[in-house]
Amino acid sequence: DWVANANLDYTRDITDSLTGLLNINYREQWGGVQDVEVPQKPLDDFSQVDVRAAIRAGDIEFAVYANNIFNTVYRLRDDTDVTYRLSSPRSYGVQLKYSW
């Protein structure tokens, strides 16, 4: 029935040559039903938070991230009483980016 999203981007110079970046993404879903199948199956309510923090020096950016930081579990699809697909579990990692 309802979907909400919020995104926060924060950038701050640390020194003349270093910049810090922070991104927090929040999404929530309440109610609703899956597709147009009959009988209709209700979707799970859920909220999920993803976070990314980075340091940029010139053309190089190094970041750490965590998706689904609270490890929220919800059904993405429900095909039968015994077959369904769950959301992705918490994941995290590092990124190295070069811009030219």
Side-chain angles (χ1 to χ4, degrees):
D1 294 336
W2 297 95
V3 175
N5 292 294
N7 193 60
L8 172 71
D9 287 311
Y10 181 73
T11 303
R12 177 157 181 126
D13 290 335
I14 299 170
T15 67
D16 289 340
S17 60
L18 285 179
T19 302
L21 302 100
L22 176 66
N23 173 264
I24 301 172
N25 182 271
Y26 170 79
R27 56 190 171 274
E28 187 149 357
Q29 175 178 302
W30 307 270
V33 293
Q34 175 179 298
D35 296 330
V36 292
E37 296 176 0
V38 176
Q40 289 185 326
K41 296 176 182 168
L43 294 172
D44 291 338
D45 294 346
F46 72 90
S47 59
Q48 185 171 325
V49 178
D50 301 335
V51 176
R52 183 177 186 272
I55 293 188
R56 183 181 297 149
D59 296 332
I60 298 174
E61 182 177 293
F62 176 78
V64 294
Y65 68 89
N67 294 328
N68 192 8
I69 63 172
F70 299 116
N71 207 24
T72 304
V73 176
Y74 54 93
R75 288 174 298 148
L76 293 173
R77 181 142 182 97
D78 192 344
D79 293 323
T80 68
D81 291 335
V82 294
T83 304
Y84 55 89
R85 193 172 95 202
L86 296 177
S87 59
S88 297
R90 178 187 306 119
S91 62
Y92 46 87
V94 297
Q95 297 171 324
L96 183 60
K97 176 178 146 182
Y98 179 78
S99 300
W100 60 88

XYZ file of all heavy atoms in Angstrom:
817
model
N 0.810 -1.198 0.000
C 0.000 0.000 0.000
C 0.854 1.263 0.000
O 0.526 2.225 -0.661
C -0.919 0.013 1.214
C -1.966 -1.110 1.151
O -2.277 -1.583 0.052
O -2.449 -1.492 2.218
N 1.946 1.249 0.810
C 2.770 2.450 0.963
C 4.249 2.113 0.834
O 4.701 1.082 1.300
C 2.538 3.083 2.339
C 1.136 3.545 2.530
C 0.127 2.841 3.129
C 0.577 4.771 2.101
N -1.026 3.569 3.112
C -0.783 4.769 2.481
C 1.073 5.880 1.424
C -1.632 5.819 2.214
C 0.223 6.930 1.175
C -1.107 6.899 1.562
N 4.979 3.038 0.243
C 6.431 2.922 0.119
C 7.037 4.271 0.499
O 6.541 5.311 0.073
C 6.845 2.556 -1.329
C 8.354 2.555 -1.462
C 6.275 1.214 -1.727
N 8.084 4.243 1.316
C 8.772 5.477 1.701
C 10.269 5.282 1.481
O 10.810 4.201 1.720
C 8.500 5.811 3.164
N 10.921 6.336 1.016
C 12.370 6.322 0.804
C 12.947 7.628 1.310
O 12.326 8.684 1.169
C 12.707 6.210 -0.691
C 12.328 4.878 -1.266
O 12.891 3.871 -0.903
N 11.360 4.884 -2.159
N 14.145 7.540 1.878
C 14.873 8.742 2.280
C 16.339 8.503 1.967
O 16.855 7.396 2.143
C 14.681 9.021 3.767
N 17.004 9.532 1.501
C 18.410 9.429 1.139
C 19.148 10.633 1.698
O 18.724 11.773 1.497
C 18.556 9.379 -0.388
C 19.942 8.959 -0.793
O 20.389 7.881 -0.455
N 20.623 9.821 -1.514
N 20.237 10.388 2.410
C 21.051 11.465 2.969
C 22.448 11.372 2.365
O 23.095 10.326 2.450
C 21.133 11.335 4.491
C 22.118 12.282 5.176
C 21.577 13.714 5.128
C 22.369 11.853 6.608
N 22.879 12.442 1.734
C 24.250 12.556 1.224
C 24.940 13.677 1.973
O 24.407 14.789 2.056
C 24.257 12.882 -0.273
C 23.865 11.693 -1.119
O 24.417 10.602 -0.904
O 23.002 11.864 -1.998
N 26.124 13.386 2.513
C 26.883 14.395 3.252
C 28.310 14.385 2.732
O 28.935 13.325 2.632
C 26.854 14.087 4.748
C 27.595 15.084 5.594
C 27.072 16.352 5.814
C 28.817 14.763 6.163
C 27.747 17.274 6.586
C 29.499 15.673 6.941
C 28.960 16.926 7.155
O 29.631 17.843 7.915
N 28.823 15.541 2.386
C 30.188 15.689 1.891
C 30.883 16.771 2.695
O 30.302 17.830 2.951
C 30.184 16.089 0.396
O 29.455 15.114 -0.339
C 31.596 16.180 -0.157
N 32.114 16.511 3.100
C 32.842 17.502 3.892
C 34.325 17.432 3.566
O 34.915 16.348 3.503
C 32.627 17.241 5.370
C 33.411 18.187 6.229
C 32.823 18.315 7.569
N 33.612 19.271 8.332
C 33.100 20.301 8.921
N 31.829 20.539 8.848
N 33.865 21.103 9.606
N 34.933 18.583 3.363
C 36.383 18.639 3.173
C 37.064 18.338 4.499
O 36.752 18.944 5.525
C 36.810 20.014 2.662
C 36.366 20.265 1.234
O 36.175 19.286 0.488
O 36.203 21.445 0.869
N 37.991 17.384 4.476
C 38.751 17.029 5.672
C 40.037 17.846 5.703
O 40.395 18.417 6.724
C 39.057 15.521 5.688
C 37.736 14.732 5.694
C 39.912 15.154 6.881
C 37.888 13.254 5.465
N 40.727 17.889 4.567
C 41.899 18.747 4.369
C 41.760 19.351 2.977
O 40.765 19.127 2.294
C 43.220 17.938 4.457
O 43.289 17.041 3.355
C 43.327 17.170 5.765
N 42.770 20.087 2.544
C 42.723 20.663 1.205
C 42.671 19.590 0.116
O 42.134 19.816 -0.961
C 43.936 21.564 0.957
C 43.858 22.852 1.761
O 42.735 23.206 2.193
O 44.906 23.487 1.967
N 43.228 18.415 0.394
C 43.299 17.380 -0.635
C 42.413 16.154 -0.346
O 42.346 15.248 -1.162
C 44.748 16.933 -0.827
O 45.251 16.418 0.396
N 41.731 16.100 0.811
C 40.884 14.964 1.164
C 39.448 15.411 1.417
O 39.211 16.414 2.088
C 41.383 14.280 2.439
C 42.631 13.416 2.353
C 42.969 12.846 3.728
C 42.436 12.281 1.369
N 38.522 14.639 0.881
C 37.098 14.902 1.087
C 36.444 13.649 1.648
O 36.691 12.549 1.162
C 36.415 15.283 -0.247
O 37.072 16.420 -0.796
C 34.946 15.595 -0.038
N 35.602 13.816 2.657
C 34.853 12.708 3.229
C 33.435 12.701 2.670
O 32.837 13.762 2.468
N 32.898 11.526 2.420
C 31.543 11.387 1.896
C 30.793 10.353 2.725
O 31.356 9.329 3.120
C 31.573 10.916 0.442
C 32.337 11.795 -0.536
C 33.710 11.240 -0.815
C 31.570 11.919 -1.809
N 29.517 10.606 2.966
C 28.660 9.675 3.688
C 27.321 9.611 2.977
O 26.758 10.649 2.614
C 28.455 10.127 5.135
C 27.492 9.287 5.979
C 28.061 7.887 6.207
C 27.211 9.976 7.295
N 26.827 8.400 2.761
C 25.508 8.211 2.170
C 24.737 7.212 3.017
O 25.238 6.140 3.331
C 25.614 7.692 0.730
C 24.253 7.326 0.167
O 23.863 6.169 0.202
N 23.536 8.307 -0.314
N 23.516 7.593 3.402
C 22.619 6.702 4.123
C 21.326 6.636 3.328
O 20.742 7.668 3.003
C 22.344 7.199 5.548
C 23.647 7.313 6.331
C 21.366 6.257 6.265
C 23.495 7.968 7.691
N 20.907 5.425 3.000
C 19.676 5.230 2.250
C 18.725 4.387 3.090
O 19.099 3.323 3.583
C 19.964 4.532 0.919
C 18.722 4.360 0.096
O 18.027 3.368 0.230
N 18.434 5.328 -0.742
N 17.491 4.878 3.248
C 16.469 4.197 4.042
C 15.249 3.951 3.171
O 14.825 4.836 2.429
C 16.086 5.076 5.236
C 14.885 4.593 6.004
C 15.007 3.559 6.919
C 13.635 5.156 5.804
C 13.903 3.104 7.628
C 12.527 4.712 6.507
C 12.677 3.688 7.418
O 11.585 3.242 8.102
N 14.697 2.754 3.237
C 13.458 2.488 2.521
C 12.563 1.597 3.382
O 13.038 0.747 4.131
C 13.703 1.896 1.148
C 14.500 0.663 1.069
C 14.848 0.365 -0.407
N 15.792 -0.703 -0.489
C 17.102 -0.552 -0.405
N 17.612 0.645 -0.261
N 17.901 -1.588 -0.473
N 11.274 1.827 3.243
C 10.287 1.090 4.029
C 9.078 0.808 3.160
O 8.737 1.585 2.277
C 9.884 1.891 5.260
C 9.009 1.111 6.188
C 9.173 1.495 7.639
O 10.009 2.347 7.966
O 8.437 0.914 8.447
N 8.444 -0.324 3.429
C 7.249 -0.704 2.677
C 6.224 -1.270 3.651
O 6.554 -2.070 4.521
C 7.605 -1.765 1.643
C 6.420 -2.322 0.896
C 6.855 -3.335 -0.133
O 7.637 -3.037 -1.022
N 6.371 -4.552 0.003
N 4.971 -0.835 3.497
C 3.879 -1.335 4.322
C 2.762 -1.821 3.417
O 2.302 -1.089 2.559
C 3.281 -0.248 5.216
C 4.227 0.497 6.066
C 4.609 0.170 7.338
C 4.896 1.700 5.747
N 5.484 1.111 7.823
C 5.674 2.064 6.860
C 4.932 2.527 4.620
C 6.463 3.208 6.887
C 5.716 3.657 4.643
C 6.471 3.983 5.759
N 2.336 -3.032 3.642
C 1.160 -3.551 2.946
C 1.398 -3.846 1.479
O 2.513 -3.985 1.009
N 0.306 -3.956 0.761
C 0.351 -4.265 -0.660
C 0.227 -5.756 -0.886
O 0.291 -6.568 0.037
N 0.025 -6.116 -2.135
C -0.094 -7.516 -2.511
C 0.836 -7.801 -3.676
O 1.274 -6.904 -4.383
C -1.549 -7.891 -2.893
C -2.458 -7.809 -1.686
C -2.066 -7.036 -4.025
N 1.125 -9.074 -3.856
C 2.048 -9.508 -4.908
C 1.321 -9.632 -6.232
O 0.348 -10.358 -6.340
C 2.643 -10.841 -4.496
C 3.520 -11.467 -5.554
C 4.084 -12.767 -5.069
O 4.812 -12.797 -4.110
N 3.729 -13.848 -5.741
N 1.817 -8.924 -7.214
C 1.332 -9.032 -8.592
C -0.193 -9.013 -8.681
O -0.863 -8.361 -7.905
C 1.900 -10.278 -9.264
C 3.410 -10.231 -9.399
O 3.986 -9.140 -9.529
O 4.014 -11.306 -9.372
N -0.698 -9.751 -9.648
C -2.146 -9.821 -9.844
C -2.641 -11.263 -9.744
O -3.629 -11.636 -10.342
C -2.543 -9.210 -11.212
C -2.299 -7.725 -11.209
C -1.779 -9.879 -12.343
N -1.908 -12.079 -8.979
C -2.285 -13.484 -8.834
C -3.541 -13.611 -7.984
O -3.827 -12.783 -7.134
C -1.148 -14.250 -8.158
C 0.121 -14.279 -8.975
C 1.267 -14.955 -8.233
O 1.083 -15.398 -7.092
O 2.353 -15.028 -8.807
N -4.289 -14.671 -8.237
C -5.469 -14.963 -7.423
C -5.253 -16.330 -6.805
O -4.962 -17.281 -7.529
C -6.745 -14.930 -8.287
C -7.956 -15.335 -7.466
C -6.924 -13.562 -8.916
N -5.360 -16.515 -5.498
C -5.670 -15.454 -4.542
C -4.454 -14.558 -4.330
O -3.316 -15.014 -4.415
C -6.009 -16.217 -3.263
C -5.196 -17.474 -3.357
C -5.146 -17.810 -4.831
N -4.698 -13.285 -4.069
C -3.600 -12.355 -3.857
C -2.908 -12.651 -2.531
O -3.557 -12.964 -1.537
C -4.118 -10.923 -3.871
C -4.532 -10.491 -5.259
C -4.938 -9.047 -5.315
O -5.501 -8.512 -4.380
N -4.648 -8.410 -6.429
N -1.585 -12.553 -2.549
C -0.795 -12.827 -1.351
C -0.240 -11.507 -0.817
O 0.355 -10.737 -1.574
C 0.337 -13.781 -1.679
C -0.180 -15.132 -2.110
C 0.914 -16.062 -2.520
C 0.300 -17.371 -2.987
N 1.235 -18.209 -3.643
N -0.423 -11.233 0.466
C 0.078 -9.973 1.020
C 1.607 -9.947 1.054
O 2.248 -10.969 1.286
C -0.505 -9.944 2.435
C -0.793 -11.363 2.766
C -1.093 -12.048 1.466
N 2.171 -8.773 0.802
C 3.616 -8.585 0.891
C 4.004 -8.294 2.333
O 3.215 -7.741 3.102
C 4.055 -7.426 0.001
C 3.878 -7.640 -1.500
C 4.152 -6.352 -2.255
C 4.793 -8.742 -1.996
N 5.228 -8.659 2.702
C 5.727 -8.377 4.043
C 6.014 -6.890 4.200
O 6.503 -6.238 3.275
C 7.025 -9.142 4.303
C 6.821 -10.642 4.410
O 5.691 -11.064 4.704
O 7.806 -11.378 4.219
N 5.739 -6.347 5.379
C 6.205 -5.007 5.721
C 7.692 -5.110 6.028
O 8.147 -6.101 6.604
C 5.489 -4.485 6.969
C 4.006 -4.275 6.740
O 3.565 -4.275 5.580
O 3.284 -4.105 7.737
N 8.464 -4.108 5.653
C 9.891 -4.138 5.964
C 10.471 -2.735 5.942
O 9.906 -1.816 5.364
C 10.662 -5.042 4.991
C 10.809 -4.471 3.606
C 11.896 -3.677 3.287
C 9.867 -4.732 2.634
C 12.034 -3.145 2.004
C 9.995 -4.220 1.361
C 11.076 -3.424 1.047
N 11.620 -2.605 6.597
C 12.427 -1.394 6.478
C 13.875 -1.846 6.322
O 14.275 -2.867 6.868
C 12.268 -0.478 7.697
O 12.653 -1.149 8.860
N 14.624 -1.093 5.534
C 16.000 -1.469 5.246
C 16.871 -0.231 5.190
O 16.456 0.808 4.670
C 16.065 -2.217 3.914
C 17.433 -2.753 3.591
C 17.416 -3.660 2.382
O 16.471 -4.396 2.152
N 18.465 -3.614 1.600
N 18.108 -0.343 5.706
C 19.052 0.773 5.729
C 20.363 0.320 5.082
O 20.900 -0.733 5.415
C 19.321 1.248 7.180
C 20.339 2.369 7.199
C 18.022 1.676 7.854
N 20.865 1.144 4.138
C 22.170 0.932 3.506
C 23.048 2.137 3.835
O 22.566 3.277 3.865
C 22.041 0.822 1.985
C 21.128 -0.309 1.545
O 20.972 -1.281 2.301
O 20.565 -0.207 0.445
N 24.350 1.880 4.079
C 25.275 2.954 4.445
C 26.548 2.823 3.611
O 27.034 1.711 3.370
C 25.638 2.887 5.947
C 26.664 3.939 6.313
C 24.398 3.032 6.808
N 27.088 3.970 3.196
C 28.367 4.001 2.465
C 29.168 5.196 2.944
O 28.641 6.314 3.026
C 28.123 4.129 0.960
C 29.393 4.104 0.121
C 29.042 4.165 -1.373
N 30.199 4.003 -2.213
C 30.988 4.994 -2.621
N 30.721 6.244 -2.265
N 32.024 4.756 -3.395
N 30.436 4.980 3.287
C 31.333 6.064 3.716
C 32.591 5.992 2.853
O 33.103 4.904 2.578
C 31.698 5.919 5.187
N 33.069 7.162 2.422
C 34.216 7.184 1.505
C 35.133 8.356 1.805
O 34.732 9.346 2.424
C 33.725 7.273 0.061
N 36.354 8.214 1.316
C 37.337 9.302 1.332
C 37.827 9.467 -0.094
O 38.187 8.486 -0.758
C 38.513 9.007 2.279
C 38.000 8.995 3.709
C 39.624 10.003 2.082
C 39.062 8.896 4.757
N 37.801 10.714 -0.563
C 38.231 11.019 -1.923
C 39.487 11.891 -1.867
O 39.530 12.881 -1.154
C 37.128 11.755 -2.674
C 37.483 12.032 -4.127
C 36.374 12.782 -4.834
N 35.158 11.974 -4.866
C 33.928 12.488 -4.841
N 33.751 13.791 -4.761
N 32.875 11.697 -4.882
N 40.486 11.499 -2.653
C 41.722 12.266 -2.792
C 41.980 12.418 -4.281
O 42.409 11.473 -4.947
C 42.885 11.550 -2.120
N 41.656 13.588 -4.808
C 41.822 13.815 -6.244
C 40.911 12.912 -7.051
O 39.694 12.940 -6.900
N 41.506 12.065 -7.893
C 40.740 11.170 -8.759
C 40.471 9.803 -8.136
O 39.829 8.959 -8.749
C 41.483 10.959 -10.082
C 41.605 12.247 -10.881
O 40.728 13.114 -10.729
O 42.572 12.368 -11.656
N 40.969 9.571 -6.925
C 40.834 8.261 -6.281
C 39.862 8.361 -5.111
O 39.910 9.301 -4.323
C 42.201 7.747 -5.801
C 43.133 7.555 -6.997
C 42.051 6.452 -5.028
C 44.545 7.178 -6.622
N 38.974 7.363 -5.024
C 38.010 7.309 -3.931
C 38.034 5.911 -3.328
O 37.970 4.912 -4.043
C 36.612 7.637 -4.447
C 35.543 7.652 -3.381
C 34.196 8.065 -3.964
O 34.058 9.229 -4.386
O 33.303 7.197 -4.009
N 38.137 5.842 -2.006
C 38.102 4.571 -1.280
C 36.875 4.591 -0.381
O 36.652 5.546 0.362
C 39.368 4.389 -0.435
C 39.322 3.137 0.391
C 39.572 1.901 -0.178
C 39.019 3.197 1.743
C 39.513 0.748 0.580
C 38.962 2.045 2.512
C 39.211 0.816 1.931
N 36.053 3.526 -0.447
C 34.812 3.500 0.317
C 34.609 2.145 0.990
O 35.103 1.116 0.527
C 33.628 3.788 -0.601
N 33.867 2.181 2.082
C 33.348 0.983 2.727
C 31.834 1.113 2.717
O 31.303 2.220 2.788
C 33.881 0.801 4.166
C 35.371 0.547 4.154
C 33.543 1.983 5.035
N 31.140 -0.021 2.594
C 29.682 0.034 2.546
C 29.090 -1.169 3.266
O 29.745 -2.200 3.435
C 29.172 0.086 1.105
C 29.416 -1.183 0.335
C 28.470 -2.214 0.352
C 30.572 -1.372 -0.396
C 28.691 -3.389 -0.337
C 30.803 -2.537 -1.086
C 29.859 -3.545 -1.060
O 30.093 -4.713 -1.739
N 27.844 -1.008 3.681
C 27.061 -2.103 4.247
C 25.633 -1.932 3.752
O 25.040 -0.871 3.910
C 27.113 -2.092 5.765
N 25.098 -2.959 3.127
C 23.715 -2.961 2.670
C 22.888 -3.825 3.611
O 23.360 -4.870 4.071
C 23.611 -3.500 1.244
C 24.298 -2.591 0.250
O 24.334 -1.386 0.436
N 24.851 -3.167 -0.790
N 21.657 -3.385 3.886
C 20.769 -4.096 4.799
C 21.452 -4.288 6.152
O 21.566 -5.400 6.666
C 20.323 -5.432 4.196
C 19.184 -6.075 4.942
O 18.590 -5.488 5.840
N 18.870 -7.308 4.567
N 21.903 -3.196 6.752
C 22.744 -3.279 7.956
C 22.060 -3.946 9.139
O 22.738 -4.487 10.004
C 23.308 -1.901 8.366
C 22.197 -0.947 8.745
C 24.190 -1.328 7.289
C 22.698 0.365 9.332
N 20.739 -3.924 9.207
C 20.042 -4.581 10.312
C 19.628 -6.006 9.957
O 18.928 -6.661 10.712
C 18.835 -3.751 10.744
C 19.224 -2.386 11.237
C 18.817 -1.251 10.558
C 20.028 -2.232 12.356
C 19.185 0.008 10.998
C 20.408 -0.986 12.803
C 19.981 0.150 12.126
N 20.073 -6.489 8.791
C 19.830 -7.852 8.321
C 18.332 -8.185 8.304
O 17.912 -9.253 8.728
C 20.613 -8.864 9.158
C 20.920 -10.126 8.377
O 20.969 -10.109 7.144
N 21.131 -11.213 9.079
N 17.538 -7.262 7.804
C 16.093 -7.441 7.708
C 15.775 -8.546 6.706
O 16.346 -8.583 5.625
C 15.433 -6.130 7.249
O 15.810 -5.094 8.156
C 13.935 -6.245 7.193
N 14.878 -9.447 7.074
C 14.487 -10.546 6.196
C 13.010 -10.378 5.843
O 12.170 -10.178 6.711
C 14.703 -11.911 6.880
C 14.206 -13.044 5.992
C 16.166 -12.104 7.218
N 12.706 -10.426 4.561
C 11.322 -10.338 4.106
C 11.188 -11.092 2.790
O 12.159 -11.316 2.083
C 10.872 -8.883 3.949
C 11.762 -8.056 3.058
C 11.489 -7.921 1.707
C 12.883 -7.422 3.562
C 12.308 -7.172 0.887
C 13.716 -6.668 2.743
C 13.416 -6.543 1.406
O 14.229 -5.811 0.590
N 9.966 -11.504 2.464
C 9.716 -12.245 1.232
C 9.669 -11.286 0.048
O 8.959 -10.294 0.079
C 8.383 -12.987 1.305
C 8.383 -14.169 2.225
C 7.017 -14.768 2.355
N 6.119 -13.747 2.931
C 4.830 -13.638 2.654
N 4.259 -14.492 1.837
N 4.094 -12.701 3.201
N 10.424 -11.595 -0.986
C 10.366 -10.838 -2.231
C 9.286 -11.403 -3.150
O 8.660 -10.696 -3.918
C 11.703 -10.907 -2.966
C 12.869 -10.208 -2.291
C 14.148 -10.524 -3.052
C 12.648 -8.729 -2.229
N 9.091 -12.704 -3.079
C 8.127 -13.381 -3.949
C 7.637 -14.626 -3.237
O 8.388 -15.301 -2.553
C 8.785 -13.751 -5.273
C 7.850 -14.420 -6.238
C 8.108 -13.958 -7.659
N 7.152 -14.589 -8.539
C 6.039 -14.007 -8.945
N 5.746 -12.803 -8.534
N 5.217 -14.624 -9.760
N 6.360 -14.939 -3.411
C 5.746 -16.101 -2.787
C 4.941 -16.826 -3.863
O 3.852 -16.400 -4.220
C 4.847 -15.651 -1.640
C 4.406 -16.804 -0.763
O 4.538 -17.964 -1.200
O 3.930 -16.541 0.347
N 5.499 -17.894 -4.429
C 4.851 -18.583 -5.540
C 3.849 -19.647 -5.091
O 2.834 -19.848 -5.723
C 5.897 -19.212 -6.458
C 6.726 -18.161 -7.166
O 6.156 -17.121 -7.541
O 7.929 -18.358 -7.332
N 4.179 -20.344 -4.023
C 3.261 -21.351 -3.479
C 3.421 -21.343 -1.966
O 4.179 -20.545 -1.414
C 3.593 -22.762 -4.010
O 4.853 -23.171 -3.471
C 3.631 -22.812 -5.519
N 2.764 -22.271 -1.309
C 2.887 -22.351 0.149
C 4.273 -22.809 0.596
O 4.650 -22.621 1.738
C 1.826 -23.285 0.725
C 0.432 -22.688 0.591
O 0.330 -21.448 0.522
O -0.536 -23.465 0.551
N 5.018 -23.436 -0.301
C 6.342 -23.942 0.077
C 7.470 -23.331 -0.753
O 8.629 -23.628 -0.506
C 6.404 -25.489 -0.031
C 5.490 -26.126 0.983
C 6.078 -25.951 -1.434
N 7.176 -22.506 -1.739
C 8.195 -21.901 -2.584
C 8.124 -20.387 -2.479
O 7.110 -19.791 -2.819
C 8.012 -22.311 -4.061
O 8.009 -23.722 -4.157
C 9.128 -21.752 -4.914
N 9.198 -19.791 -1.998
C 9.258 -18.337 -1.901
C 10.708 -17.890 -1.964
O 11.622 -18.702 -1.818
C 8.581 -17.842 -0.614
C 9.115 -18.474 0.646
C 10.192 -17.912 1.317
C 8.549 -19.630 1.154
C 10.692 -18.497 2.468
C 9.037 -20.218 2.303
C 10.115 -19.643 2.960
O 10.609 -20.229 4.085
N 10.919 -16.622 -2.186
C 12.265 -16.063 -2.272
C 12.398 -14.964 -1.238
O 11.556 -14.070 -1.172
C 12.515 -15.519 -3.670
C 13.978 -15.226 -3.916
C 14.223 -14.870 -5.348
N 14.193 -13.425 -5.438
C 13.959 -12.746 -6.536
N 13.689 -13.377 -7.649
N 13.964 -11.439 -6.542
N 13.452 -15.023 -0.438
C 13.674 -14.024 0.597
C 14.597 -12.920 0.109
O 15.313 -13.061 -0.887
C 14.281 -14.681 1.846
C 13.401 -15.695 2.561
C 14.147 -16.319 3.727
C 12.110 -15.055 3.036
N 14.605 -11.826 0.847
C 15.472 -10.691 0.538
C 16.937 -11.080 0.709
O 17.264 -12.097 1.321
C 15.138 -9.537 1.478
O 15.323 -9.951 2.827
N 17.800 -10.239 0.185
C 19.240 -10.470 0.339
C 19.654 -10.197 1.784
O 19.176 -9.251 2.399
C 20.026 -9.546 -0.578
O 19.727 -9.813 -1.920
N 20.554 -11.016 2.337
C 21.028 -10.765 3.697
C 21.983 -9.573 3.725
O 22.342 -9.019 2.677
C 21.759 -12.058 4.052
C 22.216 -12.594 2.735
C 21.159 -12.196 1.743
N 22.406 -9.201 4.912
C 23.383 -8.107 5.053
C 24.607 -8.409 4.195
O 25.069 -9.543 4.110
C 23.813 -7.991 6.519
C 24.853 -6.913 6.744
C 25.413 -6.914 8.164
N 24.362 -6.843 9.160
C 24.144 -7.782 10.072
N 24.893 -8.867 10.107
N 23.181 -7.647 10.951
N 25.103 -7.393 3.532
C 26.335 -7.526 2.757
C 27.184 -6.289 3.011
O 26.667 -5.224 3.340
C 26.045 -7.686 1.262
O 25.394 -6.536 0.770
N 28.469 -6.451 2.892
C 29.368 -5.330 3.110
C 30.617 -5.539 2.279
O 30.893 -6.649 1.804
C 29.723 -5.171 4.596
C 30.104 -6.460 5.277
C 31.409 -6.921 5.249
C 29.154 -7.235 5.918
C 31.766 -8.105 5.853
C 29.489 -8.425 6.530
C 30.798 -8.848 6.497
O 31.142 -10.045 7.084
N 31.360 -4.464 2.093
C 32.563 -4.580 1.296
C 33.293 -3.261 1.180
O 32.975 -2.283 1.876
N 34.252 -3.252 0.304
C 35.053 -2.051 0.037
C 35.007 -1.772 -1.461
O 34.791 -2.682 -2.266
C 36.516 -2.199 0.515
C 36.585 -2.370 2.011
C 37.205 -3.341 -0.188
N 35.194 -0.509 -1.802
C 35.229 -0.103 -3.209
C 36.415 0.827 -3.412
O 36.705 1.661 -2.558
C 33.955 0.642 -3.582
C 32.700 -0.184 -3.466
C 31.446 0.645 -3.644
O 31.386 1.784 -3.216
N 30.440 0.064 -4.264
N 37.056 0.683 -4.533
C 38.124 1.570 -4.943
C 37.750 2.094 -6.310
O 37.472 1.315 -7.225
C 39.468 0.855 -4.994
C 40.681 1.700 -5.335
C 40.880 2.812 -4.305
C 41.913 0.835 -5.446
N 37.711 3.419 -6.446
C 37.250 4.031 -7.690
C 38.280 5.038 -8.176
O 38.846 5.791 -7.386
C 35.924 4.729 -7.409
C 35.334 5.497 -8.546
C 33.997 6.079 -8.106
C 33.736 7.403 -8.730
N 32.486 8.003 -8.294
N 38.506 5.025 -9.489
C 39.393 6.002 -10.112
C 38.613 6.715 -11.209
O 37.995 6.077 -12.058
C 40.631 5.327 -10.709
C 41.559 6.304 -11.373
C 42.419 7.094 -10.623
C 41.566 6.451 -12.758
C 43.252 8.000 -11.228
C 42.397 7.357 -13.378
C 43.240 8.136 -12.599
O 44.069 9.040 -13.196
N 38.589 8.025 -11.165
C 37.878 8.827 -12.185
C 38.883 9.540 -13.066
O 39.843 10.128 -12.577
C 36.980 9.862 -11.501
O 36.039 9.233 -10.683
N 38.659 9.494 -14.376
C 39.529 10.246 -15.293
C 38.708 10.956 -16.330
O 37.563 10.774 -16.500
C 40.573 9.362 -15.965
C 40.017 8.274 -16.783
C 39.675 8.321 -18.088
C 39.748 6.930 -16.351
N 39.216 7.112 -18.517
C 39.238 6.235 -17.465
C 39.876 6.264 -15.155
C 38.871 4.898 -17.404
C 39.505 4.941 -15.113
C 39.011 4.283 -16.209
